[in-house]
Amino acid sequence: MGKSGKLRPAMPEHAIEKSFEERSERVFVILMSQRGFGSSTVGEIFNKNPKIFYLFEPLWMMSNEAEAGDGVNPLSTATERDILREIFRCKFRGDFTMMLTKYNEMLRTRRVCEVSEGTQCMISNTTLLDETCKRNSGRVAIKVVRTDLDKLKSLVVDDQLNVKILHLVRDPRGVASSLIQHVITRLPDDDLIALSDQLPRKGRLKALGLLNQTIKGKNSVQAYCLWMRQNLFNSARLPEWLEDHYKLLKFEEFASSPILVTKDIYNFVGLPVPLEIEQWLELYRNNTHTAKLNGLQSNLKERAQQWIFDLSESEVEQVEEECMDVINALGYQPYRKLKENVKSGAIN
């Protein structure tokens, strides 16, 4: 029975067998984000947990986007739901295992690497994948990009799973800077030369086509702000089905205080922070001059603030014109205030 006294719907036939379901122990953590929001970094707090089975972007992996690179995830709501149910049940289809074998050397899922064939973090045995997942007593976490809360609703309402949704967001101006770097580093030199005369006049966002799309899933400022706008909730206005299932997380907060925020995340999930994670984060905090440390960039706070120095004022204005409501809703400071902090030395 829910908090309002309403009866929850009966478990559907496809629900998990009771012998493999103990809701006091089982949990399905879904880190919901977008590219360039810092989700790979945040996801490591689950990937490095020896008692959690963690998967990087299983929905992307099963979509045509992985092959075509067109930036749009074509999976239907029903298909996404079925894949997520199977992951929670630790019952994987052959085609899923095949795609995991194809991409996991790049994604580096820890649990899979530990039982992989050889040293390439690949697994082709579906039964072994099932068993590896089940060893973690039903504690499963995944990172998903370009999905929406409404696509996850049935997991909570219909399946009554212990789902914990971490909605990771980022300052749209930081996202814009990340998008610019992502595109520029992948453009051939000839294309960059061809665009060079447009960059000073239009700004990099317009010249690179990052202000021209509102289609959700496309790599653009408008599309990413649309996604945040449509999925954004705070504790004061959560719909009933999201109560105890949703937590908003700002990348900048994690970057500034990773240990404190990680403890808060694990408290929300209902699991203790393992010693391995605390040691990893402590090592990061105490070695701030190391370029990279076991997968976590030690200049994480600087990375979160770098857009203040990377974007021109006109580019900041372009982002704010499209996304000021999101910037305000998330409580990010105005650009003018941030510039004053730079001048005073509060931001280096």
Side-chain angles (χ1 to χ4, degrees), residues 149-210:
L149 285 172
D150 59 0
K151 293 184 178 182
L152 305 177
K153 184 175 181 178
S154 65
L155 299 175
V156 176
V157 175
D158 299 330
D159 299 352
Q160 299 182 47
L161 304 184
N162 183 21
V163 178
K164 298 293 185 178
I165 302 167
L166 281 170
H167 181 196
L168 179 65
V169 296
R170 186 177 183 182
D171 188 321
R173 297 162 296 190
V175 173
S177 178
S178 179
L179 284 175
I180 289 171
Q181 297 305 316
H182 177 81
V183 173
I184 284 181
T185 56
R186 286 161 177 77
L187 275 182
D189 291 341
D190 290 345
D191 291 348
L192 279 176
I193 293 171
L195 287 170
S196 60
D197 66 323
Q198 300 181 40
L199 297 179
R201 292 185 292 107
K202 296 183 177 181
R204 292 168 297 173
L205 288 165
K206 285 189 176 181
L208 296 172
L210 297 172

Side-chain angles (χ1 to χ4, degrees), residues 26-27 30 55 96 120 149 158 183 191 195 210 212 225 233 263 287 290 304 324 342:
R26 292 177 58 75
V27 63
I30 300 178
L55 286 173
F96 184 93
Q120 295 183 312
L149 285 172
D158 299 330
V183 173
D191 291 348
L195 287 170
L210 297 172
N212 302 330
C225 286
F233 288 98
K263 289 180 178 180
N287 290 270
T290 305
M324 202 63 207
V342 171

Side-chain angles (χ1 to χ4, degrees), residues 20-230:
F20 185 50
E21 183 173 44
E22 295 292 340
R23 285 194 178 83
S24 61
E25 298 178 1
R26 292 177 58 75
V27 63
F28 191 15
V29 182
I30 300 178
L31 176 59
M32 185 182 83
S33 191
Q34 291 277 6
R35 297 284 172 81
F37 281 41
S39 58
S40 293
T41 301
V42 175
E44 283 297 300
I45 68 172
F46 300 114
N47 191 37
K48 290 187 178 296
N49 188 330
K51 296 183 179 179
I52 289 179
F53 183 83
Y54 179 73
L55 286 173
F56 288 89
E57 304 188 19
L59 299 180
W60 169 83
M61 191 176 69
M62 293 297 290
S63 73
N64 290 338
E65 180 194 346
E67 296 289 339
D70 60 4
V72 177
N73 188 339
L75 294 178
S76 67
T77 298
T79 300
E80 286 195 12
R81 183 183 62 235
D82 290 344
I83 292 172
L84 294 177
R85 282 172 176 161
E86 290 165 2
I87 292 172
F88 184 72
R89 297 172 66 196
C90 291
K91 290 185 178 294
F92 299 98
R93 299 178 302 184
D95 59 341
F96 184 93
T97 305
M98 180 182 69
M99 295 305 287
L100 185 61
T101 298
K102 180 175 182 178
Y103 288 107
N104 194 58
E105 186 175 8
M106 173 183 68
L107 300 176
R108 293 283 170 176
T109 294
R110 174 175 172 169
R111 299 280 80 75
V112 174
C113 291
E114 288 175 349
V115 297
S116 64
E117 300 146 1
T119 59
Q120 295 183 312
C121 291
M122 296 180 179
I123 189 168
S124 58
N125 187 316
T126 301
T127 300
L128 180 58
L129 184 60
D130 292 353
E131 293 173 351
T132 302
C133 177
K134 288 181 180 180
R135 286 194 196 110
N136 295 280
S137 303
R139 292 180 290 270
V140 178
I142 63 172
K143 163 192 161 184
V144 294
V145 292
R146 298 176 185 144
T147 196
D148 295 285
L149 285 172
D150 59 0
K151 293 184 178 182
L152 305 177
K153 184 175 181 178
S154 65
L155 299 175
V156 176
V157 175
D158 299 330
D159 299 352
Q160 299 182 47
L161 304 184
N162 183 21
V163 178
K164 298 293 185 178
I165 302 167
L166 281 170
H167 181 196
L168 179 65
V169 296
R170 186 177 183 182
D171 188 321
R173 297 162 296 190
V175 173
S177 178
S178 179
L179 284 175
I180 289 171
Q181 297 305 316
H182 177 81
V183 173
I184 284 181
T185 56
R186 286 161 177 77
L187 275 182
D189 291 341
D190 290 345
D191 291 348
L192 279 176
I193 293 171
L195 287 170
S196 60
D197 66 323
Q198 300 181 40
L199 297 179
R201 292 185 292 107
K202 296 183 177 181
R204 292 168 297 173
L205 288 165
K206 285 189 176 181
L208 296 172
L210 297 172
L211 279 175
N212 302 330
Q213 293 285 350
T214 56
I215 302 171
K216 285 194 295 185
K218 283 288 187 181
N219 290 326
S220 74
V221 169
Q222 291 101 324
Y224 282 6
C225 286
L226 175 65
W227 179 83
M228 284 191 278
R229 188 178 296 122
Q230 293 183 341

